């Protein structure tokens, strides 16, 4: 990466303790770092100088929880759930229209939630799109639903009979000797059958840059050395412009070294309906400890959280162990999170994107403990946030705004006392990537030049938390996004 000099002149440095700050300066960047901060130039001039016109410079945002490959794939797929679709008919219209416009082509959908049309299967899909091979992913990421043509093209059925392919995937559901089209946990098999390559990261990386995102933590549990190599290659060829922490499976630890791509926690994915063997998961945590590696446990529901806390209490915790999502945290479990000194990486935008459904489906008693804000902070739990894209919006500003408003799409306020201030919500995305919610990045000499220049002062933007205010994004000293004027 080329490290040219860059100066951001006439700029306000973000400070959460002085939100009305009007003291302007010039921030000098060289070799990927902030090397000097001086009074503004008397007359802004010269190349490689950006005149900020008094707007505020914030640390570049770090998305602490994203699934980059799935997000990149989603950009060329059909969204099959909220917030894009809200009704069964919208889903039917969308897939039928795709079938008409692209006869015979594979249709890939993502983010399906049964609230739209129930537990769909092969027959349901055949009714609407019989002539395209179809695969639609459940929003949990663990289930694909395929239509008959897709099953045929994958060799699972031959005309009307059940075929015996070379290796029948274990997760293929068969009822009364017939495939239902539902494939559980068979991503790897499906990718192999489709000779699927990893998606190109350029469009996804550019979109993230336009939101001011300069770093990500990829939280996909299956990440291993292949994914590490692919991410590294994508950074080297310029397609992926953010720095990356990569969580993944127990083999990831063997991946190589790269300054902008670091291996991160062992990711453990819990699913309430199918919790893993307790001893087995404890063993995984212990091995991880021996490798000096922290763990991050996915827990959305109360049951998953209780399971995660029991495992971590049994195995002992290491500073920086994380709970992902922590969607339901009643006070007694909050206390256990505090005792175990765990960090939480959450998604307040789910309140907007899924809130109306939570109000219908989450047990009444648990609704007051959904995606908490102030309660975490007052309990002293290090708190940060991530988009969980493509399962949530990739735009961190939507998440920040939602942390402040806590309103569902229909406008129901969900826990007024949990609302964060705009500064607390920005904090969720500007803490150190390796210690979310524990230490914050500042615009100081010697810091990494991962920055986002806004188009207005913070005291204005704080009342309109929206990514349209991102004017320039700088990652390791390089401009990776510049808004058209
Ligand atoms: Zn996730």
């Amino acid at each position: 990466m080329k490290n040219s000099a860059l100066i951001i002149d006439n700029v306000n440095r973000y400070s959460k303790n002085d939100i009305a700050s009007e003291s302007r300066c010039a921030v000098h960047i060289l070799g990927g770092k902030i090397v000097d901060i001086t009074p503004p130039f008397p007359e802004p001039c010269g190349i490689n100088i950006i005149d900020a016109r008094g707007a505020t410079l914030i640390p570049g945002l770090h998305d602490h929880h994203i699934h980059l490959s799935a997000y990149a794939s989603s950009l060329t797929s059909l969204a099959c759930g909220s917030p894009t679709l809200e009704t069964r008919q919208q889903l039917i219209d969308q897939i039928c229209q795709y079938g008409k416009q692209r006869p015979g082509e594979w249709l890939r959908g993502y983010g399906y939630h049964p609230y739209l049309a129930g537990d769909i299967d092969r027959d349901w899909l055949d009714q609407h799109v019989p002539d395209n091979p179809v695969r639609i992913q459940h929003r949990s990421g663990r289930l694909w639903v395929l239509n008959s043509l897709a099953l045929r093209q994958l060799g699972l059925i031959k005309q009307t009979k059940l075929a015996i392919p070379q290796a029948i995937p274990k997760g293929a559901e068969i009822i009364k000797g017939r495939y239902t089209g539902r494939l559980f946990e068979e991503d790897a098999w499906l990718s192999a059958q489709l000779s699927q390559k990893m998606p190109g990261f350029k469009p996804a990386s550019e979109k993230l840059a336009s939101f001011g995102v300069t770093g990500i933590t990829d939280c996909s549990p299956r990440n291993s050395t292949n994914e590490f190599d692919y991410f590294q290659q994508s950074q080297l060829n310029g397609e992926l412009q953010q720095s990356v922490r990569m969580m993944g499976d127990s083999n990831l630890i063997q991946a190589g070294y790269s300054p902008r791509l670091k291996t991160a926690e062992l990711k453990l994915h819990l699913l309430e309906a199918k919790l893993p063997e307790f001893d087995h998961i404890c063993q995984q945590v212990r091995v991880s400890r021996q490798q000096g590696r922290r763990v991050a446990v996915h827990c959305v529901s109360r049951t998953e959280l209780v399971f995660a806390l029991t495992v971590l209490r049994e195995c002992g915790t290491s500073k920086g162990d994380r709970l992902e999502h922590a969607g339901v945290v009643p006070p007694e479990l909050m206390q256990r999170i505090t005792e175990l000194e765990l960090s939480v990486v959450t998604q307040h935008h789910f309140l907007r994107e899924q809130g109306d459904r939570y109000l219908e489906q989450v047990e009444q008693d648990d609704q007051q403990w959904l995606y908490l804000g102030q309660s975490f902070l007052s309990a002293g739990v290090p708190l940060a946030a991530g988009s969980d894209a493509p399962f949530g919006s990739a735009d961190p500003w939507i998440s920040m705004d939602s942390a402040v408003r806590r309103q569902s799409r229909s406008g129901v306020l969900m826990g007024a006392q949990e609302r964060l201030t705009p500064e607390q919500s920005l904090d969720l995305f500007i803490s150190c990537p390796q210690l979310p919610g524990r230490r914050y990045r500042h615009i100081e000499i010697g810091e990494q030049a991962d920055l986002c220049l806004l188009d207005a002062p913070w005291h204005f933007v704080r009342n309109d938390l929206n990514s349209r205010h991102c004017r320039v994004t700088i990652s390791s000293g390089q401009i990776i996004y510049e808004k058209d004027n």
Side-chain angles (χ1 to χ4, degrees):
M1 178 172 283
K2 196 167 114 273
N3 285 315
S4 54
L6 180 67
I7 296 167
I8 306 172
D9 190 22
N10 216 2
V11 74
N12 255 307
R13 276 192 288 169
Y14 172 75
S15 159
K16 66 176 160 193
N17 301 320
D18 183 12
I19 55 180
S21 162
E22 281 293 349
S23 60
R24 299 179 184 192
C25 61
V27 174
H28 302 243
I29 296 162
L30 186 68
K33 296 217 180 265
I34 298 174
V35 291
D36 205 358
I37 295 171
T38 61
F41 291 10
E43 278 182 42
C45 60
I47 52 164
N48 292 339
I49 296 184
I50 298 169
D51 180 4
R53 303 186 291 265
T56 294
L57 184 65
I58 60 173
L61 305 181
H62 188 90
D63 185 332
H64 293 279
H65 184 127
I66 188 171
H67 304 275
L68 187 65
S69 297
Y71 173 54
S73 298
S74 77
L75 296 177
T76 54
S77 308
L78 290 182
C80 291
S82 180
T84 311
L85 304 180
E86 294 297 342
T87 67
R88 179 178 185 273
Q89 195 55 47
Q90 284 174 337
L91 172 67
I92 293 171
D93 291 348
Q94 175 173 261
I95 59 178
C96 288
Q97 196 186 11
Y98 184 97
K100 281 188 200 123
Q101 286 171 350
R102 302 180 187 206
E105 272 183 42
W106 270 91
L107 183 161
R108 182 188 188 281
Y110 71 97
Y112 177 76
H113 193 294
Y115 77 88
L116 278 178
D119 287 328
I120 58 171
D121 59 9
R122 153 191 181 182
D123 297 325
W124 190 89
L125 290 172
D126 286 350
Q127 272 177 43
H128 305 292
V129 250
D131 301 324
N132 295 67
V134 177
R135 60 186 173 116
I136 291 182
Q137 190 185 36
H138 188 269
R139 72 171 263 111
S140 65
R142 302 174 144 236
L143 164 68
W144 284 97
V145 188
L146 282 64
N147 71 349
S148 295
L149 187 54
L151 293 172
R152 210 166 287 137
Q153 292 200 3
L154 291 169
L156 284 176
I157 53 171
K158 281 186 184 154
Q159 300 309 326
T160 54
K161 278 194 288 190
L162 193 70
I164 315 258
Q166 310 238 294
I168 295 179
K170 271 197 242 133
E173 185 180 68
I174 301 175
I175 294 181
K176 294 185 181 160
R178 182 173 183 271
Y179 286 112
T180 62
R182 294 154 64 80
L183 250 64
F184 293 89
E185 311 267 10
E186 287 294 353
D187 258 9
W189 180 85
L190 201 51
S191 300
Q193 299 302 301
L194 293 166
S195 315
Q196 208 181 350
K197 296 188 186 70
M198 297 275 279
F201 287 158
K202 194 163 190 280
S205 177
E206 285 175 355
K207 258 202 172 326
L208 294 173
S210 75
F211 304 143
V213 174
T214 55
I216 61 170
T217 297
D218 193 283
C219 295
S220 307
R222 277 184 295 272
N223 281 338
S224 199
T225 48
N226 282 347
E227 284 74 13
F228 186 93
D229 293 344
Y230 184 77
F231 273 60
Q232 186 173 25
Q233 196 50 46
S234 301
Q235 286 178 326
L236 290 172
N237 68 23
E239 293 214 341
L240 175 54
Q241 308 197 79
Q242 283 77 14
S243 57
V244 179
R245 296 182 75 243
M246 180 183 273
M247 292 186 188
D249 69 15
S250 46
N251 296 316
L252 181 60
I253 196 83
Q254 294 155 14
Y257 171 80
S258 157
R260 297 181 64 235
L261 172 61
K262 306 243 185 323
T263 56
E265 294 79 5
L266 172 75
K267 175 74 185 291
L268 299 169
H269 200 118
L270 302 180
L271 182 65
E272 181 166 341
K274 203 177 155 192
L275 288 172
E277 184 81 31
F278 185 77
D279 291 342
H280 173 70
I281 206 157
C282 286
Q283 182 57 21
Q284 280 184 288
V285 174
R286 289 192 183 107
V287 170
S288 184
R289 294 272 180 267
Q290 284 160 9
Q291 296 168 334
R293 190 177 179 199
R294 299 190 295 241
V295 299
V297 193
H298 163 111
C299 43
V300 173
S301 71
R302 184 197 276 250
T303 308
E304 290 165 4
L305 178 58
V306 169
F307 188 90
L309 293 172
T310 313
V311 168
L312 290 169
R313 189 151 59 181
E314 173 73 20
C315 302
T317 49
S318 170
K319 185 179 169 188
D321 281 349
R322 301 170 37 158
L323 298 173
E324 307 300 309
H325 314 299
V328 181
V329 185
E332 66 277 14
L333 297 184
M334 182 69 83
Q335 200 186 335
R336 287 169 60 187
I337 293 174
T338 316
E339 285 162 9
L340 292 170
E341 298 187 72
L342 299 166
S343 307
V344 165
V345 173
T346 195
Q347 289 76 30
H348 293 112
H349 50 300
F350 286 175
L351 294 171
R352 177 174 311 175
E353 293 167 2
Q354 309 291 338
D356 291 316
R357 207 151 19 264
Y358 295 155
L359 293 169
E360 274 173 30
Q361 295 173 356
V362 173
E363 284 187 39
Q364 193 81 32
D365 282 354
D366 279 349
Q367 288 190 7
Q368 57 191 314
W369 316 124
L370 284 170
Y371 292 96
L372 299 174
Q374 288 298 352
S375 290
F376 281 123
L377 298 181
S378 49
V381 175
L383 183 68
S387 66
D388 202 21
F391 310 108
S393 164
D395 181 347
W397 296 86
I398 292 179
S399 184
M400 287 186 235
D401 188 56
S402 190
V404 172
R405 292 180 197 274
R406 298 188 65 90
Q407 278 183 359
S408 73
R409 203 173 291 280
S410 72
V412 180
L413 179 59
M414 299 176 76
Q417 70 288 356
E418 294 297 330
R419 287 162 120 168
L420 300 186
T421 65
E423 291 70 35
Q424 288 170 328
S425 77
L426 178 61
D427 269 352
L428 301 176
F429 291 94
I430 60 170
S431 55
C432 288
Q434 62 279 19
L435 284 175
R438 287 183 189 268
R439 197 167 80 76
Y440 293 89
R441 292 177 293 129
H442 299 281
I443 295 167
E444 302 285 1
I445 296 171
E447 288 271 331
Q448 177 86 4
D450 287 341
L451 302 162
C452 172
L453 175 63
L454 303 175
D455 67 355
W458 177 252
H459 61 80
F460 176 85
V461 177
R462 75 188 295 278
N463 296 314
D464 182 28
L465 294 170
N466 192 301
S467 54
R468 68 170 163 262
H469 292 301
C470 298
R471 183 181 151 201
V472 181
T473 304
I474 296 164
S475 175
S476 300
Q478 300 292 307
I479 294 176
I480 62 168
Y481 169 75
E482 209 165 356
K483 186 165 75 170
D484 301 333
N485 279 321

